[in-house]
Amino acid sequence: MGIAAGERVGSFEILAPLGEGAMGEVYKARDVRLERTVAIKVLRGGVAESPGRRQRFKREAKAIASLTHPHICTLYDVDSGTGVEYLVMEYIDGKTLAQCLLEGPLPMEQVLRLGSEIADALGFAHRLGIVHRDVKPANVMLTRSGAKLLDFGLAKLRSEGGGLAAELAAPQPKALTAEGTVVGTPAYMAPEQLEGHELDGRADVFALGALLYEMATGKRAFAASTAVAAMAAILSHSPSRLDHLERLSPPAFDRLVRRCLEREADDRWQNATDLAIELRW
C-alpha cells in the first residue's frame, strides 16, 4: 500500500493500512483537528486518472452520505486535497465477516441476529433508491454493537420516480452502469446481475441469502474454484439443503435462505425489510 504510517493526507495522519481493493486503499488515520480516529479511503493513482472510476468514487461518497443507519458505515467527509481524492469514514473496530468465517460457521443465534441487521441496513438503502450490488463477507464488519455494512463503491442509484436517488444520481456514462455491464463479486451475484440486466433490491436479497448460507455452514452457497464456475453454478444449480444439519434445527431457516436464492427475482423475498422481520421471528 502506497502511504506510509506518519504521512499526512490533508489534515489526517496515517496510522496503519487496513486493506485495499480494485479502486482504493483504506487506512486507519487520526484527524488532527478533531483528535479522533477515522478510516481514510484513498483513490488509487491509476484509477484517479480514469474519469469513470473517479465518478464511481464520487458516487460512493454520495451514496454513503445519504445513509444514516446504525448498521451502515458513516461517511464524515470527502476531499481531493494534496493531490489525492479520498473519503473520510468512521473507524470501525472489529473484524470483517470474511475473517470470522475463516474460523468456521457462526452460532445460529448470531447468524439470525447479524442477518437481520444486514437486512435492515439493505432495506433502508433500498427505500432511498440505492442498491449495494456487492454484498459479501469482506464488506461486513462485526463489532460489539453488531454488523456494519461497508463499501458502496458499486452502488447503483435508482432514480425512477424521483426521491433521494434522483437527487443523487448525476448523469453517468452508459458504459459504467448500462444493461450488459457486470459488476460485483461472482460468488454472491444474483442471476440477473451476472447477465448484466437492470437491478433492484432483490439482487441484494440474493447476495444476503448466500451470506446467510455461508454464515450458517462455513461454506459458500455456490462453491467453485473459479469465478466462471461460480457463475455457472448460480445460473444452473441450487445449494445443498440446510435443514439436514443438526445444528440448523429451525426448518424455517432453510426455507428462508432458499427463497433468497431463487433464480427468478419474482420468486424471492421482495424486499429486505420483510426478510429482516422474518429473521427476527
Side-chain angles (χ1 to χ4, degrees):
M1 297 181 68
I3 305 178
E7 290 187 39
R8 293 276 288 268
V9 175
S11 59
F12 303 93
E13 180 187 355
I14 300 300
L15 300 178
L18 293 175
E20 57 186 315
M23 287 180 57
E25 301 169 342
V26 183
Y27 298 88
K28 181 180 180 181
R30 187 175 71 90
D31 185 336
V32 298
R33 297 170 303 175
L34 301 177
E35 296 187 351
R36 65 178 173 183
T37 301
V38 298
I40 301 284
K41 183 173 183 179
V42 178
L43 190 64
R44 287 183 185 278
V47 175
E49 297 171 2
S50 164
R53 295 290 184 88
R54 284 202 309 273
Q55 186 176 8
R56 182 174 292 167
F57 189 76
K58 291 175 182 177
R59 194 165 78 249
E60 177 179 11
K62 291 180 179 180
I64 300 174
S66 70
L67 299 174
T68 303
H69 188 277
H71 298 298
I72 295 177
C73 179
T74 302
L75 175 71
Y76 294 145
D77 197 6
V78 58
D79 205 343
S80 57
T82 65
V84 296
E85 295 190 70
Y86 58 93
L87 302 177
V88 185
M89 300 171 288
E90 70 172 306
Y91 172 71
I92 300 173
D93 188 12
K95 289 184 175 181
T96 66
L97 178 57
Q99 290 171 320
C100 292
L101 287 173
L102 292 175
E103 302 171 8
L106 306 181
M108 178 52 60
E109 181 181 353
Q110 190 177 14
V111 172
L112 297 174
R113 176 174 56 82
L114 295 174
S116 67
E117 291 170 353
I118 298 166
D120 268 334
L122 289 172
F124 179 76
H126 295 164
R127 288 194 295 276
L128 295 181
I130 298 171
V131 183
H132 190 284
R133 297 202 298 180
D134 199 23
V135 178
K136 60 183 179 182
N139 283 340
V140 176
M141 288 288 293
L142 304 187
T143 73
R144 291 182 179 180
S145 59
K148 285 271 192 177
L149 187 58
L150 312 175
D151 202 346
F152 280 76
L154 298 181
K156 171 71 172 179
L157 307 181
R158 296 180 56 81
S159 57
E160 295 87 341
L164 178 60
E167 297 170 17
L168 290 174
Q172 299 167 4
K174 288 186 177 181
L176 189 59
T177 56
E179 185 168 338
T181 301
V182 178
V183 294
T185 302
Y188 305 92
M189 291 167 66
E192 65 270 24
Q193 191 172 0
L194 290 172
E195 293 170 346
H197 297 317
E198 186 69 22
L199 303 180
D200 58 30
R202 294 174 296 181
D204 286 343
V205 168
F206 184 96
L208 179 53
L211 211 62
L212 290 168
Y213 187 101
E214 191 168 347
M215 286 194 284
T217 66
K219 300 177 181 179
R220 286 187 174 181
F222 302 97
S225 57
T226 67
V228 172
M231 293 179 184
I234 288 171
L235 292 172
S236 59
H237 297 93
S238 297
S240 301
R241 294 184 64 86
L242 296 170
D243 53 7
H244 71 287
L245 301 174
E246 285 187 20
R247 61 181 299 276
L248 301 175
S249 53
F253 182 73
D254 177 71
R255 173 182 171 276
L256 179 148
V257 172
R258 296 183 79 79
R259 186 173 173 188
C260 289
L261 296 174
E262 290 286 353
R263 279 190 282 276
E264 294 294 332
D266 287 345
D267 294 333
R268 292 178 212 141
W269 297 96
Q270 294 301 288
N271 65 74
T273 301
D274 285 349
L275 177 55
I277 293 169
E278 192 76 5
L279 283 162
R280 284 194 290 270
W281 175 81

